[in-house]
Amino acid sequence: MSDLLAARSQMAMSLAFHIIFAMVGIGMPLLMVLAEWKHLRTGEAVYLDLAKRWAKGTAILFAVGAVSGTVLSLELGLLWPGFMKFAGAIIGMPFSLEGFAFFTEAIFLGVYLYGWNRITPRAHLWAGVLVAVSGAVSGVFVVIANAWMNAPIGFVMRDGVAVDIDPLLALTTPAALPQTLHMTLAAYAGTGFAVAGIHAFFLRRHGRSGFHRKALGIALRMAIPAALLQPLSGDLSAKAVATLQPAKLAAMEGQFTTERGAPLRIGGWPDEAAAQTRWSIDIPKALSILAFGDPNAEVQGLDRVPRADWPPVAIVHVAFQLMVGLGSYMALLSLWALWSRWRKRDLANQRLLLLAIIAGTPMGFIATEAGWVVTEVGRQPWIVQGVLRTADAVTPMPGLIVPFLLFTVLYVFLGVIVAYLLMRQFAVAPTQTGTFRRPTPPAGTTPAGATAVAAGD
C-alpha cells in the first residue's frame, strides 16, 4: 500500500467512524427535548423516562464523537500539511465557528444531564434546546468547510499562490446550502429511523408497552418529515453538482459520453476500459431533466475530462446508487406509516410495518456513509476541486501504513465499547406501561437478576 493510499484510507476510516456519532449528536438531542416537552405538557412519567434514557445515550455517543472528532482534526494537520498550508487561511473560519458551537453543546449538555431537579423545568428544557441547536450548527459549519473543497471561492490564484483571500466569501460557496441541507436532513432521518427501529423491535415482542409506543411515535415524528424532504434536497444537491462538478456527476451516473437528452441509469456497472455502463435500466432524458430541468439539455460526460482526472467511476456510481436506493426505501416507509396513521390504524399492532421499520434501522447511516463516498471519492484526484491535487497535499513522511493499522484497531475497540454501553442502556426492557423488567438470565445463573423496577428508576 502506498503512503498516499494509506493516508486516504486512514482519513476515510476516521470520517466513516466519526460521521455516525455526528449524526446521532444532531438527532438525539432533538428526541430528548421532544420527550421532555411532552412530559411537561402531559405530566406522563413515561416521557420523562424517555428523556432521561435518551440523554444518557446522547452523553455516551457525544463523548466518543468528541474523541473521534479530535482525531480527525489532528489527521488534517499531520496527514495533509499541504492542504492546511493552502486552505488554512481561507477556510479556517468555519472550523473555528464549529469549535464555538461544539463547546456550547458540551456546556449545555452538562447542564442538561446534571440539572434534573436542580434548575426549573423550563430552564432545563431550554438547556436541551440549546444542545439540539448547537449540535446542528456544529455539523453545518463542518459541512460548509467540505462544501468549499468541492466549490472553492474566496481567493485568487496568482503564480500558484492563493492571494486576495476573503474568508467570509469562502463561507458562501455555492455548494454550502445544498450540502448542509442534505446532511442535516440525513442526520434527523437516519437517527430517527435507527431509534424507531429499536423500539419497533421491542414492540413486536411486547406489543402493550406504552414506553415503546410513545418512543416509536416521537422517533417517527422526527424521521418521517426528514425522510420525505430528503429527495427534494437530493435533487438540489444533484443540480449543484451538475454545475459545479460535472465530472463527479458523470461518475455518479456512469455517463461516459457527452450527450443531449441523457438518460437516468438505475443500477448497472461502469466499465472504464470500454467507457460504457453495462446492465443498467435507462430512463430516457431523465438525467437531463433532473440536472437542468430540460429534456434536451446537454450533460457533460467523462469524455470531456482528461483520463488522469477521472474519479474511480465504479466506486462513485455504486455508492450513489446505494444512497439513492436506501433513501427511497426510507421515503416510501414514511409514506406507508403516514397512510396507516391516516387510516387511523395502530402502528404498534401492524407487525409487517414494524418489521419494515426494523429493517430500516441502519439504512440512514449506511446511506450517509455512501453519500460521503460519493462526495469525497467523486472529487478525486483533487483535494480542493480544480486547484490542489490530493497527491500534492499529503505528508512526505513514510510508513503511513503503521498509523493506519493502529487507528483501525483503536476504532474497533471504541466501537465495541460503545456497543456494550448502549446495550446496557437497553438491558432494562419495558414490558408494560410503567413497568420495566430485566431480561431473564440463562438457567443456572443468578435468578435474582430478573428484577422488576419502577418506571423512571
Side-chain angles (χ1 to χ4, degrees), residues 290-320:
L290 290 174
F292 299 103
D294 180 354
N296 297 312
E298 181 180 275
V299 175
Q300 179 181 316
L302 289 166
D303 57 346
R304 288 189 180 173
V305 181
R307 192 63 179 255
D309 291 346
W310 283 19
V313 182
I315 294 175
V316 177
H317 179 72
V318 171
F320 178 67

PDB file of all heavy atoms in Angstrom, residues 290-320:
ATOM      1  N   LEU A 290     -33.609  16.079 -14.670  1.00  0.00           N
ATOM      2  CA  LEU A 290     -33.299  16.228 -13.251  1.00  0.00           C
ATOM      3  C   LEU A 290     -32.139  17.203 -13.023  1.00  0.00           C
ATOM      4  O   LEU A 290     -32.147  17.964 -12.053  1.00  0.00           O
ATOM      5  CB  LEU A 290     -32.960  14.866 -12.645  1.00  0.00           C
ATOM      6  CG  LEU A 290     -34.129  13.890 -12.519  1.00  0.00           C
ATOM      7  CD1 LEU A 290     -33.634  12.536 -12.041  1.00  0.00           C
ATOM      8  CD2 LEU A 290     -35.177  14.434 -11.552  1.00  0.00           C
ATOM      9  N   ALA A 291     -31.143  17.181 -13.919  1.00  0.00           N
ATOM     10  CA  ALA A 291     -29.960  18.013 -13.703  1.00  0.00           C
ATOM     11  C   ALA A 291     -30.190  19.457 -14.129  1.00  0.00           C
ATOM     12  O   ALA A 291     -29.690  20.388 -13.488  1.00  0.00           O
ATOM     13  CB  ALA A 291     -28.767  17.424 -14.454  1.00  0.00           C
ATOM     14  N   PHE A 292     -30.954  19.665 -15.225  1.00  0.00           N
ATOM     15  CA  PHE A 292     -31.066  21.023 -15.771  1.00  0.00           C
ATOM     16  C   PHE A 292     -32.508  21.451 -16.039  1.00  0.00           C
ATOM     17  O   PHE A 292     -32.730  22.562 -16.520  1.00  0.00           O
ATOM     18  CB  PHE A 292     -30.250  21.111 -17.069  1.00  0.00           C
ATOM     19  CG  PHE A 292     -28.781  20.844 -16.880  1.00  0.00           C
ATOM     20  CD1 PHE A 292     -28.234  19.617 -17.259  1.00  0.00           C
ATOM     21  CD2 PHE A 292     -27.958  21.780 -16.290  1.00  0.00           C
ATOM     22  CE1 PHE A 292     -26.880  19.361 -17.082  1.00  0.00           C
ATOM     23  CE2 PHE A 292     -26.592  21.521 -16.103  1.00  0.00           C
ATOM     24  CZ  PHE A 292     -26.063  20.306 -16.499  1.00  0.00           C
ATOM     25  N   GLY A 293     -33.479  20.584 -15.764  1.00  0.00           N
ATOM     26  CA  GLY A 293     -34.875  20.943 -15.984  1.00  0.00           C
ATOM     27  C   GLY A 293     -35.258  21.022 -17.441  1.00  0.00           C
ATOM     28  O   GLY A 293     -36.284  21.622 -17.788  1.00  0.00           O
ATOM     29  N   ASP A 294     -34.477  20.427 -18.328  1.00  0.00           N
ATOM     30  CA  ASP A 294     -34.721  20.485 -19.773  1.00  0.00           C
ATOM     31  C   ASP A 294     -34.466  19.088 -20.348  1.00  0.00           C
ATOM     32  O   ASP A 294     -33.347  18.561 -20.207  1.00  0.00           O
ATOM     33  CB  ASP A 294     -33.782  21.512 -20.413  1.00  0.00           C
ATOM     34  CG  ASP A 294     -33.981  21.611 -21.927  1.00  0.00           C
ATOM     35  OD1 ASP A 294     -34.762  20.816 -22.490  1.00  0.00           O
ATOM     36  OD2 ASP A 294     -33.326  22.475 -22.544  1.00  0.00           O
ATOM     37  N   PRO A 295     -35.459  18.475 -21.005  1.00  0.00           N
ATOM     38  CA  PRO A 295     -35.250  17.105 -21.522  1.00  0.00           C
ATOM     39  C   PRO A 295     -34.170  17.006 -22.590  1.00  0.00           C
ATOM     40  O   PRO A 295     -33.649  15.919 -22.851  1.00  0.00           O
ATOM     41  CB  PRO A 295     -36.631  16.730 -22.085  1.00  0.00           C
ATOM     42  CG  PRO A 295     -37.325  18.020 -22.322  1.00  0.00           C
ATOM     43  CD  PRO A 295     -36.829  18.952 -21.276  1.00  0.00           C
ATOM     44  N   ASN A 296     -33.826  18.144 -23.216  1.00  0.00           N
ATOM     45  CA  ASN A 296     -32.795  18.118 -24.258  1.00  0.00           C
ATOM     46  C   ASN A 296     -31.497  18.802 -23.826  1.00  0.00           C
ATOM     47  O   ASN A 296     -30.643  19.093 -24.658  1.00  0.00           O
ATOM     48  CB  ASN A 296     -33.332  18.799 -25.527  1.00  0.00           C
ATOM     49  CG  ASN A 296     -34.522  18.045 -26.106  1.00  0.00           C
ATOM     50  OD1 ASN A 296     -34.476  16.818 -26.260  1.00  0.00           O
ATOM     51  ND2 ASN A 296     -35.604  18.763 -26.402  1.00  0.00           N
ATOM     52  N   ALA A 297     -31.363  19.054 -22.549  1.00  0.00           N
ATOM     53  CA  ALA A 297     -30.143  19.707 -22.052  1.00  0.00           C
ATOM     54  C   ALA A 297     -28.945  18.785 -22.219  1.00  0.00           C
ATOM     55  O   ALA A 297     -29.059  17.560 -22.157  1.00  0.00           O
ATOM     56  CB  ALA A 297     -30.318  20.089 -20.585  1.00  0.00           C
ATOM     57  N   GLU A 298     -27.793  19.420 -22.431  1.00  0.00           N
ATOM     58  CA  GLU A 298     -26.563  18.637 -22.590  1.00  0.00           C
ATOM     59  C   GLU A 298     -25.982  18.290 -21.228  1.00  0.00           C
ATOM     60  O   GLU A 298     -25.839  19.155 -20.368  1.00  0.00           O
ATOM     61  CB  GLU A 298     -25.534  19.435 -23.398  1.00  0.00           C
ATOM     62  CG  GLU A 298     -24.225  18.683 -23.626  1.00  0.00           C
ATOM     63  CD  GLU A 298     -23.227  19.504 -24.420  1.00  0.00           C
ATOM     64  OE1 GLU A 298     -23.301  19.479 -25.660  1.00  0.00           O
ATOM     65  OE2 GLU A 298     -22.387  20.186 -23.800  1.00  0.00           O
ATOM     66  N   VAL A 299     -25.647  17.027 -21.048  1.00  0.00           N
ATOM     67  CA  VAL A 299     -24.987  16.573 -19.829  1.00  0.00           C
ATOM     68  C   VAL A 299     -23.560  16.178 -20.191  1.00  0.00           C
ATOM     69  O   VAL A 299     -23.339  15.349 -21.087  1.00  0.00           O
ATOM     70  CB  VAL A 299     -25.727  15.367 -19.209  1.00  0.00           C
ATOM     71  CG1 VAL A 299     -24.958  14.839 -17.999  1.00  0.00           C
ATOM     72  CG2 VAL A 299     -27.134  15.770 -18.799  1.00  0.00           C
ATOM     73  N   GLN A 300     -22.600  16.802 -19.503  1.00  0.00           N
ATOM     74  CA  GLN A 300     -21.200  16.517 -19.800  1.00  0.00           C
ATOM     75  C   GLN A 300     -20.817  15.122 -19.344  1.00  0.00           C
ATOM     76  O   GLN A 300     -21.118  14.715 -18.218  1.00  0.00           O
ATOM     77  CB  GLN A 300     -20.285  17.539 -19.118  1.00  0.00           C
ATOM     78  CG  GLN A 300     -18.802  17.283 -19.375  1.00  0.00           C
ATOM     79  CD  GLN A 300     -17.920  18.285 -18.683  1.00  0.00           C
ATOM     80  OE1 GLN A 300     -18.199  19.491 -18.701  1.00  0.00           O
ATOM     81  NE2 GLN A 300     -16.854  17.805 -18.053  1.00  0.00           N
ATOM     82  N   GLY A 301     -20.164  14.392 -20.241  1.00  0.00           N
ATOM     83  CA  GLY A 301     -19.683  13.063 -19.894  1.00  0.00           C
ATOM     84  C   GLY A 301     -18.205  13.083 -19.552  1.00  0.00           C
ATOM     85  O   GLY A 301     -17.538  14.133 -19.628  1.00  0.00           O
ATOM     86  N   LEU A 302     -17.687  11.924 -19.195  1.00  0.00           N
ATOM     87  CA  LEU A 302     -16.272  11.826 -18.835  1.00  0.00           C
ATOM     88  C   LEU A 302     -15.364  11.983 -20.044  1.00  0.00           C
ATOM     89  O   LEU A 302     -14.149  12.157 -19.882  1.00  0.00           O
ATOM     90  CB  LEU A 302     -16.023  10.477 -18.146  1.00  0.00           C
ATOM     91  CG  LEU A 302     -16.621  10.358 -16.737  1.00  0.00           C
ATOM     92  CD1 LEU A 302     -16.631   8.908 -16.273  1.00  0.00           C
ATOM     93  CD2 LEU A 302     -15.833  11.219 -15.753  1.00  0.00           C
ATOM     94  N   ASP A 303     -15.934  11.924 -21.268  1.00  0.00           N
ATOM     95  CA  ASP A 303     -15.096  12.082 -22.463  1.00  0.00           C
ATOM     96  C   ASP A 303     -14.517  13.492 -22.569  1.00  0.00           C
ATOM     97  O   ASP A 303     -13.573  13.706 -23.333  1.00  0.00           O
ATOM     98  CB  ASP A 303     -15.900  11.742 -23.726  1.00  0.00           C
ATOM     99  CG  ASP A 303     -17.173  12.588 -23.861  1.00  0.00           C
ATOM    100  OD1 ASP A 303     -17.562  13.242 -22.861  1.00  0.00           O
ATOM    101  OD2 ASP A 303     -17.783  12.582 -24.941  1.00  0.00           O
ATOM    102  N   ARG A 304     -15.048  14.446 -21.833  1.00  0.00           N
ATOM    103  CA  ARG A 304     -14.505  15.812 -21.842  1.00  0.00           C
ATOM    104  C   ARG A 304     -13.549  16.069 -20.682  1.00  0.00           C
ATOM    105  O   ARG A 304     -13.142  17.195 -20.445  1.00  0.00           O
ATOM    106  CB  ARG A 304     -15.645  16.833 -21.799  1.00  0.00           C
ATOM    107  CG  ARG A 304     -16.418  16.922 -23.105  1.00  0.00           C
ATOM    108  CD  ARG A 304     -17.365  18.094 -23.072  1.00  0.00           C
ATOM    109  NE  ARG A 304     -18.133  18.214 -24.302  1.00  0.00           N
ATOM    110  CZ  ARG A 304     -19.133  19.069 -24.482  1.00  0.00           C
ATOM    111  NH1 ARG A 304     -19.476  19.887 -23.482  1.00  0.00           N
ATOM    112  NH2 ARG A 304     -19.788  19.103 -25.619  1.00  0.00           N
ATOM    113  N   VAL A 305     -13.258  15.021 -19.935  1.00  0.00           N
ATOM    114  CA  VAL A 305     -12.351  15.149 -18.793  1.00  0.00           C
ATOM    115  C   VAL A 305     -11.088  14.351 -19.105  1.00  0.00           C
ATOM    116  O   VAL A 305     -11.187  13.200 -19.550  1.00  0.00           O
ATOM    117  CB  VAL A 305     -13.004  14.599 -17.503  1.00  0.00           C
ATOM    118  CG1 VAL A 305     -12.071  14.751 -16.311  1.00  0.00           C
ATOM    119  CG2 VAL A 305     -14.328  15.312 -17.237  1.00  0.00           C
ATOM    120  N   PRO A 306      -9.891  14.947 -18.917  1.00  0.00           N
ATOM    121  CA  PRO A 306      -8.666  14.159 -19.120  1.00  0.00           C
ATOM    122  C   PRO A 306      -8.697  12.875 -18.292  1.00  0.00           C
ATOM    123  O   PRO A 306      -9.132  12.884 -17.142  1.00  0.00           O
ATOM    124  CB  PRO A 306      -7.562  15.114 -18.639  1.00  0.00           C
ATOM    125  CG  PRO A 306      -8.148  16.477 -18.779  1.00  0.00           C
ATOM    126  CD  PRO A 306      -9.610  16.327 -18.503  1.00  0.00           C
ATOM    127  N   ARG A 307      -8.250  11.782 -18.907  1.00  0.00           N
ATOM    128  CA  ARG A 307      -8.327  10.477 -18.229  1.00  0.00           C
ATOM    129  C   ARG A 307      -7.654  10.503 -16.851  1.00  0.00           C
ATOM    130  O   ARG A 307      -8.116   9.848 -15.910  1.00  0.00           O
ATOM    131  CB  ARG A 307      -7.679   9.416 -19.117  1.00  0.00           C
ATOM    132  CG  ARG A 307      -7.943   7.983 -18.672  1.00  0.00           C
ATOM    133  CD  ARG A 307      -9.415   7.645 -18.728  1.00  0.00           C
ATOM    134  NE  ARG A 307      -9.714   6.280 -18.339  1.00  0.00           N
ATOM    135  CZ  ARG A 307     -10.041   5.319 -19.206  1.00  0.00           C
ATOM    136  NH1 ARG A 307     -10.131   5.591 -20.489  1.00  0.00           N
ATOM    137  NH2 ARG A 307     -10.293   4.085 -18.797  1.00  0.00           N
ATOM    138  N   ALA A 308      -6.585  11.278 -16.724  1.00  0.00           N
ATOM    139  CA  ALA A 308      -5.880  11.356 -15.438  1.00  0.00           C
ATOM    140  C   ALA A 308      -6.717  12.027 -14.357  1.00  0.00           C
ATOM    141  O   ALA A 308      -6.428  11.886 -13.164  1.00  0.00           O
ATOM    142  CB  ALA A 308      -4.573  12.120 -15.615  1.00  0.00           C
ATOM    143  N   ASP A 309      -7.764  12.742 -14.767  1.00  0.00           N
ATOM    144  CA  ASP A 309      -8.604  13.455 -13.798  1.00  0.00           C
ATOM    145  C   ASP A 309      -9.928  12.736 -13.539  1.00  0.00           C
ATOM    146  O   ASP A 309     -10.821  13.314 -12.911  1.00  0.00           O
ATOM    147  CB  ASP A 309      -8.882  14.890 -14.284  1.00  0.00           C
ATOM    148  CG  ASP A 309      -7.629  15.751 -14.254  1.00  0.00           C
ATOM    149  OD1 ASP A 309      -6.644  15.330 -13.621  1.00  0.00           O
ATOM    150  OD2 ASP A 309      -7.632  16.840 -14.860  1.00  0.00           O
ATOM    151  N   TRP A 310     -10.083  11.510 -14.013  1.00  0.00           N
ATOM    152  CA  TRP A 310     -11.311  10.756 -13.726  1.00  0.00           C
ATOM    153  C   TRP A 310     -11.311  10.285 -12.271  1.00  0.00           C
ATOM    154  O   TRP A 310     -10.299   9.765 -11.774  1.00  0.00           O
ATOM    155  CB  TRP A 310     -11.396   9.511 -14.614  1.00  0.00           C
ATOM    156  CG  TRP A 310     -11.800   9.772 -16.031  1.00  0.00           C
ATOM    157  CD1 TRP A 310     -11.757  10.956 -16.703  1.00  0.00           C
ATOM    158  CD2 TRP A 310     -12.288   8.806 -16.964  1.00  0.00           C
ATOM    159  NE1 TRP A 310     -12.181  10.801 -17.988  1.00  0.00           N
ATOM    160  CE2 TRP A 310     -12.521   9.491 -18.187  1.00  0.00           C
ATOM    161  CE3 TRP A 310     -12.555   7.450 -16.901  1.00  0.00           C
ATOM    162  CZ2 TRP A 310     -13.000   8.843 -19.322  1.00  0.00           C
ATOM    163  CZ3 TRP A 310     -13.027   6.797 -18.023  1.00  0.00           C
ATOM    164  CH2 TRP A 310     -13.255   7.491 -19.224  1.00  0.00           C
ATOM    165  N   PRO A 311     -12.413  10.418 -11.579  1.00  0.00           N
ATOM    166  CA  PRO A 311     -12.522   9.745 -10.274  1.00  0.00           C
ATOM    167  C   PRO A 311     -12.739   8.250 -10.491  1.00  0.00           C
ATOM    168  O   PRO A 311     -13.043   7.825 -11.620  1.00  0.00           O
ATOM    169  CB  PRO A 311     -13.772  10.399  -9.666  1.00  0.00           C
ATOM    170  CG  PRO A 311     -14.574  10.847 -10.836  1.00  0.00           C
ATOM    171  CD  PRO A 311     -13.614  11.188 -11.936  1.00  0.00           C
ATOM    172  N   PRO A 312     -12.593   7.430  -9.472  1.00  0.00           N
ATOM    173  CA  PRO A 312     -12.894   5.993  -9.609  1.00  0.00           C
ATOM    174  C   PRO A 312     -14.394   5.815  -9.914  1.00  0.00           C
ATOM    175  O   PRO A 312     -15.228   5.878  -9.012  1.00  0.00           O
ATOM    176  CB  PRO A 312     -12.508   5.413  -8.244  1.00  0.00           C
ATOM    177  CG  PRO A 312     -11.576   6.414  -7.649  1.00  0.00           C
ATOM    178  CD  PRO A 312     -12.041   7.744  -8.156  1.00  0.00           C
ATOM    179  N   VAL A 313     -14.724   5.587 -11.173  1.00  0.00           N
ATOM    180  CA  VAL A 313     -16.113   5.688 -11.625  1.00  0.00           C
ATOM    181  C   VAL A 313     -17.006   4.625 -10.964  1.00  0.00           C
ATOM    182  O   VAL A 313     -18.111   4.919 -10.500  1.00  0.00           O
ATOM    183  CB  VAL A 313     -16.187   5.568 -13.164  1.00  0.00           C
ATOM    184  CG1 VAL A 313     -17.632   5.719 -13.634  1.00  0.00           C
ATOM    185  CG2 VAL A 313     -15.303   6.634 -13.807  1.00  0.00           C
ATOM    186  N   ALA A 314     -16.530   3.388 -10.937  1.00  0.00           N
ATOM    187  CA  ALA A 314     -17.376   2.300 -10.415  1.00  0.00           C
ATOM    188  C   ALA A 314     -17.726   2.536  -8.942  1.00  0.00           C
ATOM    189  O   ALA A 314     -18.877   2.353  -8.525  1.00  0.00           O
ATOM    190  CB  ALA A 314     -16.674   0.962 -10.601  1.00  0.00           C
ATOM    191  N   ILE A 315     -16.733   2.948  -8.150  1.00  0.00           N
ATOM    192  CA  ILE A 315     -16.983   3.174  -6.717  1.00  0.00           C
ATOM    193  C   ILE A 315     -18.027   4.275  -6.525  1.00  0.00           C
ATOM    194  O   ILE A 315     -18.972   4.139  -5.737  1.00  0.00           O
ATOM    195  CB  ILE A 315     -15.666   3.547  -6.003  1.00  0.00           C
ATOM    196  CG1 ILE A 315     -14.706   2.364  -6.015  1.00  0.00           C
ATOM    197  CG2 ILE A 315     -15.936   3.994  -4.565  1.00  0.00           C
ATOM    198  CD1 ILE A 315     -13.338   2.696  -5.443  1.00  0.00           C
ATOM    199  N   VAL A 316     -17.861   5.376  -7.257  1.00  0.00           N
ATOM    200  CA  VAL A 316     -18.775   6.507  -7.098  1.00  0.00           C
ATOM    201  C   VAL A 316     -20.184   6.125  -7.564  1.00  0.00           C
ATOM    202  O   VAL A 316     -21.180   6.445  -6.896  1.00  0.00           O
ATOM    203  CB  VAL A 316     -18.252   7.721  -7.893  1.00  0.00           C
ATOM    204  CG1 VAL A 316     -19.237   8.880  -7.805  1.00  0.00           C
ATOM    205  CG2 VAL A 316     -16.890   8.149  -7.367  1.00  0.00           C
ATOM    206  N   HIS A 317     -20.272   5.431  -8.699  1.00  0.00           N
ATOM    207  CA  HIS A 317     -21.588   5.061  -9.239  1.00  0.00           C
ATOM    208  C   HIS A 317     -22.328   4.108  -8.285  1.00  0.00           C
ATOM    209  O   HIS A 317     -23.517   4.328  -7.994  1.00  0.00           O
ATOM    210  CB  HIS A 317     -21.412   4.392 -10.599  1.00  0.00           C
ATOM    211  CG  HIS A 317     -22.690   3.943 -11.235  1.00  0.00           C
ATOM    212  ND1 HIS A 317     -23.616   4.823 -11.762  1.00  0.00           N
ATOM    213  CD2 HIS A 317     -23.225   2.697 -11.404  1.00  0.00           C
ATOM    214  CE1 HIS A 317     -24.649   4.152 -12.246  1.00  0.00           C
ATOM    215  NE2 HIS A 317     -24.434   2.850 -12.032  1.00  0.00           N
ATOM    216  N   VAL A 318     -21.653   3.092  -7.796  1.00  0.00           N
ATOM    217  CA  VAL A 318     -22.301   2.131  -6.909  1.00  0.00           C
ATOM    218  C   VAL A 318     -22.705   2.792  -5.595  1.00  0.00           C
ATOM    219  O   VAL A 318     -23.807   2.563  -5.072  1.00  0.00           O
ATOM    220  CB  VAL A 318     -21.377   0.924  -6.655  1.00  0.00           C
ATOM    221  CG1 VAL A 318     -21.945   0.020  -5.572  1.00  0.00           C
ATOM    222  CG2 VAL A 318     -21.173   0.133  -7.944  1.00  0.00           C
ATOM    223  N   ALA A 319     -21.821   3.634  -5.042  1.00  0.00           N
ATOM    224  CA  ALA A 319     -22.155   4.329  -3.790  1.00  0.00           C
ATOM    225  C   ALA A 319     -23.367   5.237  -3.987  1.00  0.00           C
ATOM    226  O   ALA A 319     -24.247   5.313  -3.109  1.00  0.00           O
ATOM    227  CB  ALA A 319     -20.952   5.138  -3.308  1.00  0.00           C
ATOM    228  N   PHE A 320     -23.427   5.905  -5.115  1.00  0.00           N
ATOM    229  CA  PHE A 320     -24.570   6.790  -5.384  1.00  0.00           C
ATOM    230  C   PHE A 320     -25.867   5.987  -5.507  1.00  0.00           C
ATOM    231  O   PHE A 320     -26.909   6.366  -4.952  1.00  0.00           O
ATOM    232  CB  PHE A 320     -24.305   7.579  -6.665  1.00  0.00           C
ATOM    233  CG  PHE A 320     -25.436   8.491  -7.061  1.00  0.00           C
ATOM    234  CD1 PHE A 320     -25.761   9.595  -6.288  1.00  0.00           C
ATOM    235  CD2 PHE A 320     -26.181   8.240  -8.202  1.00  0.00           C
ATOM    236  CE1 PHE A 320     -26.808  10.430  -6.639  1.00  0.00           C
ATOM    237  CE2 PHE A 320     -27.226   9.069  -8.567  1.00  0.00           C
ATOM    238  CZ  PHE A 320     -27.549  10.163  -7.779  1.00  0.00           C
TER     239      PHE A 320
END
